[in-house]
């Protein structure tokens, strides 16, 4: 992801530089009409810009797995931006799947089946299966990845022993409202744990 962002930044800077050079080229063209050749400095800038773009284009192609990109700066930047979005979506999906895996791994200390927990775990497994078939991220996955879903709160209630009293009450109430009071009570009383 860092390399993609660096290439995008470099490409945007190059766009600005080429725009400035466009203005210089217009002046040089007007001078050429009057019989004055372009300055050696302008020619050196053009050669340097061309070499810098070729290097950027080659690095972008390597980063994108050898995909052929039209050698035009806006197309290269579009391809890099699409790749950045894909990487971000993949990272969000993985964070959400990690939360769902943790929820599905929760254990009830009572030994027997605890229906409120089993229901949540069944739903978490369903969401995990569903995500493997979806190309787009949905609201549930984004909420899980950003820590805003009821399952995040359940895990927090089970695992986070460092919450303030006020924060604990808020999390407890959210879990009770979203997932049921029985589950919230069991989590709060330490009857549900996450195996290490």
């Amino acid at each position: 992801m860092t390399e993609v962002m660096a290439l995008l930044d470099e490409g945007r800077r190059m766009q600005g530089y080429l725009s400035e050079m466009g203005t210089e080229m217009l002046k040089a063209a007007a001078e050429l009409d009057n019989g004055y050749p372009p300055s050696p400095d302008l020619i050196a800038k053009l050669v340097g810009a061309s070499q810098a773009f070729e290097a950027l284009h080659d690095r972008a192609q390597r980063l994108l797995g050898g995909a052929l990109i039209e050698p035009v700066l806006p197309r290269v930047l579009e391809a890099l931006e699409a790749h950045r979005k894909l990487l971000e979506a993949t990272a969000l999906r993985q964070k959400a799947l990690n939360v769902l895996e943790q929820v599905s791994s929760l254990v009830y200390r009572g030994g027997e089946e605890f229906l409120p927990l089993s229901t949540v775990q069944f739903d978490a497994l369903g969401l995990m299966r569903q995500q493997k078939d979806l190309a787009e991220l949905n609201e549930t996955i984004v909420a899980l990845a950003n820590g805003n879903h009821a399952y995040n709160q359940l895990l927090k209630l089970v695992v986070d022993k460092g919450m303030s009293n006020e924060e604990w009450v808020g999390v407890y109430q959210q879990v009770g409202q979203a997932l049921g009071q029985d589950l919230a009570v069991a989590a709060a009383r330490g009857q549900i744990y996450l195996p290490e």
Side-chain angles (χ1 to χ4, degrees), residues 63-156:
L63 182 72
L64 297 173
L68 293 176
I69 314 163
E70 189 179 343
V72 178
L73 187 55
R75 297 286 182 260
V76 173
L77 291 176
E78 284 172 18
L80 286 170
E81 187 62 33
H83 189 63
R84 181 192 65 79
K85 286 179 180 175
L86 178 65
L87 290 176
E88 282 182 355
T90 302
L92 282 175
R93 188 184 309 273
Q94 191 54 55
K95 276 178 86 172
L97 288 173
N98 290 345
V99 172
L100 292 171
E101 283 176 19
Q102 287 183 313
V103 168
S104 66
S105 300
L106 290 172
V107 176
Y108 180 64
R109 288 187 197 278
E112 71 278 2
E113 183 180 1
F114 183 54
L115 192 57
L117 179 59
S118 298
T119 302
V120 164
Q121 290 176 316
F122 184 74
D123 181 58
L125 289 170
L127 285 170
M128 286 170 67
R129 276 193 299 276
Q130 181 186 56
Q131 271 315 293
K132 292 176 182 164
D133 299 331
L134 291 177
E136 296 290 318
L137 297 179
N138 60 27
E139 288 179 21
T140 303
I141 291 303
V142 172
L144 283 161
N146 291 330
N148 301 327
H149 193 274
Y151 290 170
N152 299 95
Q153 302 308 311
L154 173 61
L155 288 171
K156 191 169 188 169

